[in-house]
Amino acid sequence: MATKAMNIRMTQTKQSLINAFFQLVSKKDFEKITVADITKGAHVNRATFYAHFHDKYELLDYIMGDSASAAIVKRTNGAEKFDQDSIVQLVLAVCDFYEQPNIQCRSSYIGFVVPQLKEKIINELKAYLSKSLDNSYADTEKNLYVPIYAQVIHEGAFQWTSGNVITSKEEVAKRVSLLLMNGQ
């Protein structure tokens, strides 16, 4: 019972640190945010912060990775399949990921955060695709196709998110899925 209470408290503390960070990014440039600012907003001491994260960069990395994973799980319900509907859901998950209010922060973060966001969501796409294609391809083929599929899914969603296409995200997702399924 004590372990369960400890895990709940650690999860709540980590979430408090994340929430404090989000409050700060809406007001300050990332480079000006300090661990002291984060701990003050979370109402914890510095040692507690360091029990969870090495520094603010690790905190940001954790937030982005967790958000990318959650977006994919939410859209796919955790089912790892490779079919037209799953590809549609993956494209929509990437759109959701980039649309999250917590991800959309000050414009000064664009050059710093966007490359990290892209890396996190593509890594999550690769993990999903790798598992969903386990029985469809030999490892050598899978090693070729997984990164390509992940890039195509990401790029379709990113084009919509960036406003480079005027069609709906659902239509973009449908077109990307048709492209990938017809290319098999």
Side-chain angles (χ1 to χ4, degrees):
M1 186 69 165
T3 303
K4 185 177 179 180
M6 180 72 125
N7 289 341
I8 290 170
R9 189 175 25 191
M10 288 183 72
T11 301
Q12 290 172 337
T13 301
K14 189 177 272 189
Q15 191 58 50
S16 293
L17 292 165
I18 291 166
N19 292 343
F21 178 78
F22 283 137
Q23 291 296 319
L24 289 165
V25 297
S26 66
K27 300 172 190 165
K28 286 176 106 171
D29 288 337
F30 180 78
E31 295 304 323
K32 293 183 180 178
I33 295 173
T34 65
V35 170
D37 294 333
I38 297 166
T39 58
K40 182 179 177 185
H43 306 291
V44 298
N45 63 40
R46 290 175 68 89
T48 300
F49 176 90
Y50 291 117
H52 293 278
F53 304 103
H54 180 69
D55 55 24
K56 66 182 182 179
Y57 299 97
E58 186 178 333
L59 170 60
L60 180 61
D61 189 62
Y62 173 82
I63 291 167
M64 289 187 293
D66 192 50
S67 296
S69 177
I72 290 173
V73 168
K74 182 178 176 185
R75 282 288 183 167
T76 63
N77 296 319
E80 294 160 340
K81 301 181 295 181
F82 189 77
D83 58 19
Q84 192 164 354
D85 184 56
S86 296
I87 295 169
V88 166
Q89 295 309 315
L90 289 173
V91 173
L92 294 174
V94 176
C95 291
D96 294 348
F97 173 69
Y98 281 117
E99 286 183 301
Q100 290 180 61
N102 292 342
I103 297 295
Q104 296 175 352
C105 50
R106 296 166 54 90
S107 60
S108 61
Y109 289 71
I110 298 300
F112 175 70
V113 174
V114 169
Q116 288 183 327
L117 291 174
K118 180 179 178 181
E119 178 186 348
K120 290 296 177 189
I121 195 68
I122 286 178
N123 285 341
E124 290 298 325
L125 287 169
K126 287 178 183 177
Y128 177 94
L129 291 165
S130 183
K131 289 175 186 171
S132 68
L133 292 170
D134 265 343
N135 299 323
S136 301
Y137 294 108
D139 283 344
T140 54
E141 287 180 308
K142 193 169 77 168
N143 290 341
L144 172 67
Y145 291 128
V146 165
I148 293 169
Y149 291 167
Q151 290 289 339
V152 170
I153 291 167
H154 176 270
E155 191 60 29
F158 192 74
Q159 289 302 311
W160 179 83
T161 303
S162 301
N164 294 335
V165 293
I166 56 172
T167 188
S168 70
K169 65 182 174 183
E170 291 77 13
E171 182 62 26
V172 169
K174 180 180 170 188
R175 290 181 186 184
V176 168
S177 71
L178 288 171
L179 173 71
L180 289 181
M181 293 310 290
N182 290 335
Q184 275 195 324

